[in-house]
């Protein structure tokens, strides 16, 4: 299976900050990385597909980038509603895998 | 509006089975593959497998192979996930998820775009 390692596992930030979350794959995944946001007690929500394609309705302060085996999710101008846990996920291989998550706290 | 509505929570004893349902609405059910993902308390997300709502073809995670069965009923636009021989560490929230892929097997790069509300399964004696 392709392993996805997210860093950091948690971070503290303030409203207005810029936050960068990294997702490293154990092998090349050809840009097939998706990002999800999960708030406490809720189902995850798809934010970004194929490394950088913002889903409809997702604010433009969310940006995905990267290629090969290293990807980042950048949240600019952090808003109160952005405090959540973020997961990367690969669908390069037929065995889907997720990163361990990054909790963004106030 | 695209919705996936899951069955209610379940309390099961070790060794028992659980079957979770997921009823889809707001889109053509047979067009997309449905995946199942679970999340143990305080833990991350774990992919269990997928099923084509059109053909019934399945692909299970190696971890659950032999213990899980995914099916669909196109008449009621409902997907099912049955997990057998339950253990305490199967206690988790189980999600059904519509994928962005229409092909079987899924083309690389697909995402999980519409999630059910989750079903809490507790395994305890």
């Amino acid at each position: 299976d392709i392993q996805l390692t997210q860093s950091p596992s948690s971070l503290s930030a303030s409203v207005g900050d810029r936050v960068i979350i990294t997702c490293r794959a154990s092998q090349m995944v050809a840009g097939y990385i998706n990002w999800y946001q999960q708030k406490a007690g809720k189902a995850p929500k798809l934010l970004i597909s194929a490394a950088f394609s913002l889903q409809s309705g997702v604010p433009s302060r969310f940006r995905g980038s990267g290629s090969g085996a290293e990807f980042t999710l950048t949240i600019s101008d952090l808003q109160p509603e952005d405090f959540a846990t973020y997961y990367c996920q690969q669908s390069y291989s037929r065995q889907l895998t997720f990163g361990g998550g990054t909790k963004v706290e106030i | 509006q695209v919705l996936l509505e899951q069955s209610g929570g379940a309390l099961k004893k070790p060794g028992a089975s659980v079957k979770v349902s997921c009823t889809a609405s707001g889109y053509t059910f047979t067009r997309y593959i449905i995946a199942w993902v679970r999340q143990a308390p305080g833990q991350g997300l774990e992919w269990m497998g997928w099923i084509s709502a059109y053909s019934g073809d399945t692909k299970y995670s190696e971890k659950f192979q032999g213990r899980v069965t995914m099916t669909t009923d196109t008449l009621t636009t409902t997907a099912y996930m049955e997990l057998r021989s339950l253990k305490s560490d199967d206690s988790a929230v189980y999600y059904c998820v519509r994928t962005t892929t229409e092909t079987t097997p899924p083309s690389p790069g697909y995402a999980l775009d519409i999630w059910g509300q989750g079903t809490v399964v507790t395994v305890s004696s």
Side-chain angles (χ1 to χ4, degrees):
Chain A
D1 291 3
I2 297 175
Q3 308 301 316
L4 297 180
T5 302
Q6 285 185 236
S7 60
S9 57
S10 66
L11 64 91
S12 295
S14 301
V15 172
D17 283 354
R18 185 177 75 161
V19 164
I20 298 174
I21 299 168
T22 299
C23 177
R24 289 188 176 87
S26 57
Q27 65 179 77
M28 307 280 272
V29 293
Y32 297 136
I33 285 285
N34 307 310
W35 290 95
Y36 301 85
Q37 175 194 66
Q38 186 179 32
K39 297 183 179 179
K42 300 293 186 183
K45 172 187 173 183
L46 177 64
L47 295 178
I48 289 170
S49 61
F52 57 83
S53 295
L54 204 64
Q55 294 304 291
S56 175
V58 175
S60 58
R61 62 180 179 273
F62 291 91
R63 186 172 69 89
S65 61
S67 62
E70 184 160 332
F71 300 85
T72 60
L73 172 68
T74 302
I75 312 172
S76 305
D77 189 21
L78 199 67
Q79 296 298 298
E81 60 267 30
D82 301 336
F83 291 95
T85 300
Y86 294 85
Y87 294 92
C88 59
Q89 169 251 315
Q90 65 79 24
S91 54
Y92 176 79
S93 79
R94 298 183 74 180
Q95 297 280 328
L96 233 70
T97 50
F98 290 90
T102 297
K103 188 173 184 179
V104 177
E105 300 175 293
I106 299 173
Chain B
Q1 183 186 8
V2 177
L3 278 177
L4 297 176
E5 187 162 1
Q6 299 184 223
S7 49
L11 173 61
K12 298 291 182 179
K13 294 192 184 302
S17 299
V18 68
K19 192 170 186 177
V20 179
S21 69
C22 167
T23 300
S25 61
Y27 74 98
T28 302
F29 180 67
T30 52
R31 188 170 173 184
Y32 296 95
I33 283 175
I34 295 281
W36 289 85
V37 174
R38 77 175 189 180
Q39 186 171 37
Q43 302 301 307
L45 301 168
E46 182 174 36
W47 174 74
M48 299 181 69
W50 56 254
I51 180 166
S52 166
Y54 174 74
S55 64
D57 289 346
T58 54
K59 173 69 174 177
Y60 301 138
S61 164
E62 291 165 359
K63 177 175 178 177
F64 300 101
Q65 191 76 41
R67 207 160 64 93
V68 70
T69 301
M70 297 175 188
T71 55
T72 59
D73 180 341
T74 56
L75 290 179
T76 60
T77 66
T78 300
Y80 298 92
M81 185 285 299
E82 181 180 35
L83 189 62
R84 299 177 293 278
S85 302
L86 291 169
K87 300 166 282 189
S88 58
D89 61 4
D90 289 319
S91 295
V93 178
Y94 289 77
Y95 294 101
C96 64
V97 198
R98 192 188 78 168
T99 72
T100 56
T101 184
E102 299 175 37
T103 62
T104 304
S107 301
Y110 70 97
L112 310 175
D113 68 343
I114 305 295
W115 294 65
Q117 83 275 20
T119 296
V120 177
V121 175
T122 303
V123 183
S124 174
S125 55

